[in-house]
Amino acid sequence: MQRQKRIDDLIAGLLDAIPIRAKSLIVTVYGDAVLPHGGSVWLGSLINLLEPFGQSERMVRTAVFRLTKDDWLEATQIGRRSYYAVTDSGRVRFDAAHRRIYAAPNMPWNGEWVLVHTNCCGLEPEPRESLRRDLAWQGFGQLAPHILAHPSPDEEALHLSLREHNAMEKVVILRAGADRLTTPGSLKMLVRACWDLDQLQTDYEGFLERFRPVWRAMDDNGVPDGTASFIIRTLLIHDYRRILLRDPMLPEEVLPPNWPGAAARLLCRNIYRAVQGPAEKHLMQTLETADGPLPGALPYFYDRFGGLMDGTDSRAFSAVMT
């Protein structure tokens, strides 16, 4: 009883501390939980799944409707039930986020920068600004007016953005490296001018403050039950995704010392590995598809964070703790 109260108190604190909007939460749940299980669920079961997050039926229905208008989801009506699946466009966007969140850290940096020049080939101001915002969410920084920079962008995501904004023939993409006369200190100053590293560092430190007590509580008391594990896993990825998708994933050479992003990733990985088994069981018991129960997760799910353990293995938690 005391163990459960401790977990419940921590979850209540997370729900108070982490900004949650229904639309963004549903994007997190579809990307993290629904897509690996086929990508389509009955709306009624999704409403039940999100109730513990303080999301009412009306809020979920409104958010799902907006995600449909934004081409993230598409509806299928079978009798009186509505089923919502990820669109083809949504899958591409989820795939790009998946690589950022769950894949291994970047390979060693070769010192090269990718530059996107958006004001030299007739791109109109409105689509240019939309493209800038899109690339900012991919980690690009503003090097100069109308020039965006990134040390190692996701090329698939970059190409998708250029196609979506009809900008393939209206931007110039260059690759450049620092001259040997450029000092490490001046390069770090340039990076600080392009990215708000102070805010990003503050956000990562906040993430660590919020989730370290969860990790310690599991160390003392073991893995929570299915419902609590699912809530923790979802809040973990929801909060981490919010920060990580603004992180340009700069190479260590140009980051401040003791950068908290590495510690945040390690903590996220450890908690995710610990709770994913019970969380998966809760998903399977709660969500429904047009064909009945939710199917098992696709193999790629178990590649997340360098490899997940089978949730049926009772040794999973002790293995992560050592």
Side-chain angles (χ1 to χ4, degrees):
M1 181 67 70
Q2 187 65 29
R3 165 192 167 189
Q4 188 60 45
K5 184 179 186 307
R6 171 66 174 150
I7 295 296
D8 289 346
D9 288 345
L10 286 170
I11 288 175
L14 291 174
L15 288 169
D16 286 340
I18 299 171
I20 296 178
R21 294 183 295 108
K23 184 178 176 182
S24 180
L25 179 64
I26 292 170
V27 168
T28 296
V29 169
Y30 262 84
D32 182 64
V34 177
L35 200 54
H37 291 271
S40 176
V41 294
W42 171 45
L43 177 58
S45 65
L46 181 66
I47 290 169
N48 293 335
L49 186 73
L50 298 182
E51 184 181 5
F53 297 90
Q55 304 299 311
S56 67
E57 178 177 346
R58 180 186 60 80
M59 293 165 69
V60 175
R61 288 183 181 276
T62 300
V64 166
F65 173 76
R66 289 174 179 166
L67 287 167
T68 303
K69 297 284 286 184
D70 292 342
D71 198 31
W72 283 89
L73 302 177
E74 58 187 354
T76 300
Q77 194 75 24
I78 301 178
R80 299 179 62 183
R81 288 188 167 191
S82 297
Y83 298 85
Y84 284 86
V86 178
T87 63
D88 290 342
S89 173
R91 284 179 183 273
V92 173
R93 285 179 276 183
F94 276 124
D95 285 346
H98 187 277
R99 291 191 294 272
R100 291 281 301 275
I101 297 168
Y102 307 103
N106 290 342
M107 299 295 289
W109 184 45
N110 64 2
E112 192 175 73
W113 296 86
V114 174
L115 308 179
V116 181
H117 197 319
T118 64
N119 192 34
C120 60
C121 301
L123 188 63
E124 294 295 326
E126 186 173 341
R128 185 170 63 237
E129 175 60 19
S130 296
L131 177 63
R132 186 201 63 78
R133 289 197 301 266
D134 201 354
L135 295 186
W137 277 104
Q138 294 178 32
F140 278 83
Q142 193 83 39
L143 181 64
H146 311 304
I147 300 179
L148 301 163
H150 198 294
S152 53
D154 184 323
E155 292 193 0
E156 289 186 39
L158 173 57
H159 291 166
L160 174 64
S161 295
L162 295 178
R163 289 196 302 270
E164 287 188 339
H165 296 283
N166 194 28
M168 291 294 291
E169 304 293 331
K170 298 178 181 179
V171 303
V172 172
I173 300 175
L174 303 172
R175 293 182 181 271
D179 186 85
R180 62 184 178 83
L181 297 178
T182 300
T183 66
S186 60
L187 188 57
K188 287 187 177 183
M189 290 178 64
L190 176 65
V191 165
R192 282 199 169 275
C194 295
W195 289 276
D196 188 352
L197 295 185
D198 290 337
Q199 182 60 54
L200 196 58
Q201 180 169 345
T202 298
D203 291 343
Y204 273 130
E205 289 170 348
F207 174 86
L208 291 169
E209 290 176 4
R210 287 187 288 275
F211 282 96
R212 275 175 174 155
V214 176
W215 180 240
R216 288 194 292 266
M218 290 192 295
D219 192 3
D220 294 337
N221 302 296
V223 181
D225 63 24
T227 302
S229 287
F230 173 74
I231 296 172
I232 290 170
R233 181 179 117 178
T234 301
L235 292 175
L236 178 79
I237 293 299
H238 189 70
D239 200 19
Y240 186 61
R241 175 179 72 91
R242 179 180 60 87
I243 303 168
L244 185 71
L245 295 186
R246 292 185 287 104
D247 186 347
M249 305 300 289
L250 296 171
E252 185 178 349
E253 295 92 321
V254 297
L255 286 172
N258 302 315
W259 181 248
R265 181 174 185 80
L266 182 61
L267 179 64
C268 184
R269 184 203 69 177
N270 287 349
I271 295 177
Y272 196 94
R273 283 178 170 179
V275 300
Q276 66 89 14
E280 283 292 290
K281 290 180 180 179
H282 178 69
L283 279 170
M284 302 287 286
Q285 293 167 356
T286 306
L287 292 179
E288 298 179 39
T289 74
D291 298 320
L294 194 70
L298 295 169
Y300 80 87
F301 170 78
Y302 295 99
D303 294 333
R304 289 176 170 179
F305 293 112
L308 303 177
M309 290 154 289
D310 187 339
T312 63
D313 187 348
S314 61
R315 299 167 296 175
F317 184 70
S318 59
V320 204
M321 298 299 297
T322 57

